[in-house]
Amino acid sequence: MATFLGAIALLIIGYMVYGKFVERVFVVNDDTPTPAYTKRDNLDYVPMNWWKGNLIQLLNIAGLGPIYGAVAGALYGPVAFIWIVVGCIFAGGVHDYMSGMMSLRHGGAQFPTLVGKYLGKHIRTFINVLSLVLMLLVAAAFTAGPAQLISQITPISFIVALSLIFGYFILATVLPVNRIIGRIYPLLGGILLIMAIAVAVALVFSGKQLPNLTLDSLHPANLPLWPLLMVTISCGAISGFHCTQSPIVACTMKKETDGRKIFYGAMIIEGIIALVWAAAGMAFFNGTEGLAAALEAGGPSGVVNEISTSLLGTVGGILAIFGVIILPITTGDTALRSSRMIATDILSKFMNMDGKMKVLLVTIPLAVPTFYMATIDYTFLWRYVGWTNQVVATVMLWTAAMYLLKLHKQHWIAGVPASFMTGVVCTYIFYAPEGLGLDYNLSVIIGATLTVPVVLWYAAQIIRHRKVKQKNSGLNIA
């Protein structure tokens, strides 16, 4: 129990100390008018209170990610706590804060636009495609599961359930952000928090042995941590999906000092939720072997349902069903909204994209392939979400590092986790079954070989910007 409670305490301290440090590095200024006012269109740019922004951001980035991912990550043992805490504070929090605040500073710009500005147009072209693919994969994967469950517990068929969900998706995508998202999401975000708190309290008083981090119980020897853990637990530590969602809330912020509470704060809350479910997965099934058997028998939804029902009774069962149906839907609709905003940003360079009808015309072509992918096996889709997701996170961290480097600020807060995540994605694609499926040791060697030139490029950028700074200082003195 000491490990679990200590991990939660470290996340809270991380928000207060390191989150504040990151904010000081960025340098906020409440005298600068935000895009919610300067570009107000009552569709995407609408001022909202910070607490609404925080809960909307939490629901956008969370869904079932910190629940399902944490339960699966619990198979790696108590070492999962380390990754959640360290990843959340030093990688995920920085990633989410920088993506949100950079969007704010650039007039509500979408993630690919930021990439193009700081990493070049070629990387932007690649990331335009990759981010849209990620959005559509997430929307499809987070729709298939709820539709299947609805068809199982009601007379509604899978296709009808899927059609109803997508009808809602289109409404949520084309309506002003304060109509559905701004009104309902804060409530749903609150329910997500209540669910996690209830499970945590019940778990502490259940009498079950909560896992503690020791050298003997660090992790099962049959599961290599690197890089699988960092992809399995993404939403509770660092997730590229978040940087595609941050502009939605950045377009609604009233002032810059709200950024830490909204972006870094939502990431910390998500980390706490992930800790709760990782601990529950290990404790409730008496270790990783019991959890593995439960996952094989009922999948993550079955595990979540069993934990919730056993710890919280009927209320827990209702919360579990609510979570499995509602939470992924609320992630899927904002994924589609983000893809609409990204696609509109791309097309606006070639044509005028103002007007609600044109917004709808962008949304429909995105919804059609997403609907089709949702009819494909859910587990097949999810295998490809993980790696794509972490590649996007890595690119966002490098974008943030170049932004800070250009301004001669402490770029290492993004550069160090970017280097780490480069190693993760370069190794994972060669080792994972959905990748090339190579030998583990060979995959690690190839991953390291590919990471080295990226780090050397980063070092070269640091040297170049230092020379520019010294040159400019010399000109100022002269």
Side-chain angles (χ1 to χ4, degrees):
M1 184 179 294
T3 300
F4 173 61
L5 297 178
I8 292 177
L10 285 173
L11 283 178
I12 295 172
I13 294 170
Y15 169 76
M16 294 187 293
V17 178
Y18 197 71
K20 189 65 177 178
F21 171 71
V22 171
E23 181 184 59
R24 287 175 179 169
V25 170
F26 187 83
V27 184
V28 292
N29 181 9
D30 281 345
D31 292 332
T32 304
T34 64
Y37 295 106
T38 60
K39 301 178 69 173
R40 182 166 186 166
D41 62 1
N42 293 322
L43 176 64
D44 297 317
Y45 296 87
V46 182
M48 288 197 294
N49 293 325
W50 74 264
W51 62 270
K52 280 189 175 183
N54 172 270
L55 290 173
I56 292 169
Q57 177 74 358
L58 175 63
L59 202 63
N60 286 357
I61 67 176
L64 287 178
I67 301 177
Y68 280 15
V71 167
L75 290 172
Y76 293 86
V79 71
F81 293 156
I82 296 178
W83 169 237
I84 291 171
V85 171
V86 174
C88 194
I89 294 173
F90 298 104
V94 175
H95 171 278
D96 289 16
Y97 180 81
M98 291 301 298
S99 62
M101 295 304 290
M102 286 177 66
S103 174
L104 183 77
R105 283 280 175 89
H106 292 77
Q110 298 300 305
F111 163 60
T113 299
L114 299 175
V115 171
K117 184 174 180 61
Y118 294 100
L119 295 183
K121 62 180 182 179
H122 297 300
I123 301 295
R124 175 179 179 170
T125 301
F126 165 74
I127 213 66
N128 267 328
V129 176
L130 188 65
S131 55
L132 281 174
V133 168
L134 175 61
M135 293 303 93
L136 299 185
L137 280 173
V138 168
F142 274 33
T143 305
Q148 288 173 355
L149 182 57
I150 290 172
S151 66
Q152 291 170 4
I153 64 177
T154 69
I156 300 174
S157 69
F158 172 75
I159 293 297
V160 172
L162 202 61
S163 300
L164 291 173
I165 292 172
F166 266 88
Y168 160 75
F169 275 13
I170 292 173
L171 282 176
T173 301
V174 302
L175 287 176
V177 67
N178 60 336
R179 290 287 180 84
I180 294 179
I181 295 175
R183 291 179 180 176
I184 300 176
Y185 278 33
L187 173 62
L188 298 179
I191 292 174
L192 176 64
L193 281 175
I194 292 170
M195 182 180 178
I197 292 170
V199 170
V201 172
L203 191 64
V204 169
F205 291 99
S206 66
K208 294 186 177 294
Q209 184 65 41
L210 287 170
N212 279 318
L213 187 63
T214 64
L215 290 177
D216 295 333
S217 66
L218 193 64
H219 72 94
N222 62 323
L223 288 174
L225 296 178
W226 176 270
L228 300 183
L229 178 61
M230 294 78 193
V231 177
T232 303
I233 301 181
S234 57
C235 287
I238 177 172
S239 167
F241 179 68
H242 298 188
C243 71
T244 67
Q245 302 301 291
S246 295
I248 294 177
V249 180
C251 293
T252 70
M253 288 173 57
K254 291 184 174 182
K255 56 183 180 179
E256 290 192 352
T257 50
D258 289 341
R260 183 167 68 99
K261 293 178 283 189
I262 292 173
F263 300 115
Y264 202 100
M267 184 67 245
I268 293 296
I269 294 171
E270 187 180 35
I272 292 173
I273 293 172
L275 282 176
V276 169
W277 284 100
M282 284 180 267
F284 192 82
F285 297 98
N286 301 314
T288 56
E289 291 184 4
L291 175 60
L295 284 170
E296 186 176 353
S301 59
V303 167
V304 170
N305 182 61
E306 187 172 348
I307 292 172
S308 302
T309 304
S310 300
L311 291 178
L312 304 175
T314 304
V315 174
I318 294 172
L319 283 174
I321 292 174
F322 174 85
V324 172
I325 293 176
I326 299 297
L327 295 180
I329 290 175
T330 58
T331 300
D333 64 0
T334 52
L336 194 60
R337 188 181 186 95
S338 294
S339 63
R340 187 265 292 169
M341 294 171 74
I342 292 172
T344 301
D345 193 40
I346 296 170
L347 295 174
S348 64
K349 293 177 173 51
F350 307 100
M351 62 185 75
N352 181 13
M353 296 305 298
D354 294 331
K356 293 182 179 180
M357 182 55 67
K358 290 183 178 179
V359 168
L360 186 61
L361 291 175
V362 172
T363 302
I364 298 298
L366 294 170
V368 170
T370 307
F371 184 92
Y372 170 74
M373 287 191 293
T375 63
I376 302 173
D377 179 42
Y378 171 85
T379 56
F380 174 82
L381 289 174
W382 193 246
R383 287 205 306 268
Y384 292 93
V385 170
W387 181 77
T388 306
N389 185 43
Q390 297 305 63
V391 170
V392 169
T394 304
V395 173
M396 181 62 236
L397 284 171
W398 282 124
T399 303
M402 292 303 102
Y403 168 79
L404 294 173
L405 186 58
K406 184 177 181 180
L407 297 178
H408 307 295
K409 296 180 179 180
Q410 292 166 300
H411 51 84
W412 57 265
I413 64 171
V416 171
S419 302
F420 177 84
M421 290 304 298
T422 300
V424 168
V425 297
C426 286
T427 305
Y428 186 87
I429 194 61
F430 289 97
Y431 178 64
E434 63 271 23
L436 298 179
L438 300 181
D439 173 75
Y440 178 72
N441 291 328
L442 178 60
S443 299
V444 171
I445 292 171
I446 296 174
T449 303
L450 293 175
T451 302
V452 168
V454 177
V455 175
L456 291 176
W457 165 81
Y458 177 41
Q461 294 300 312
I462 295 173
I463 294 171
R464 183 173 71 85
H465 280 83
R466 281 180 179 172
K467 289 181 178 179
V468 170
K469 184 179 180 181
Q470 290 172 356
K471 182 179 179 180
N472 291 338
S473 297
L475 290 174
N476 291 333
I477 292 173

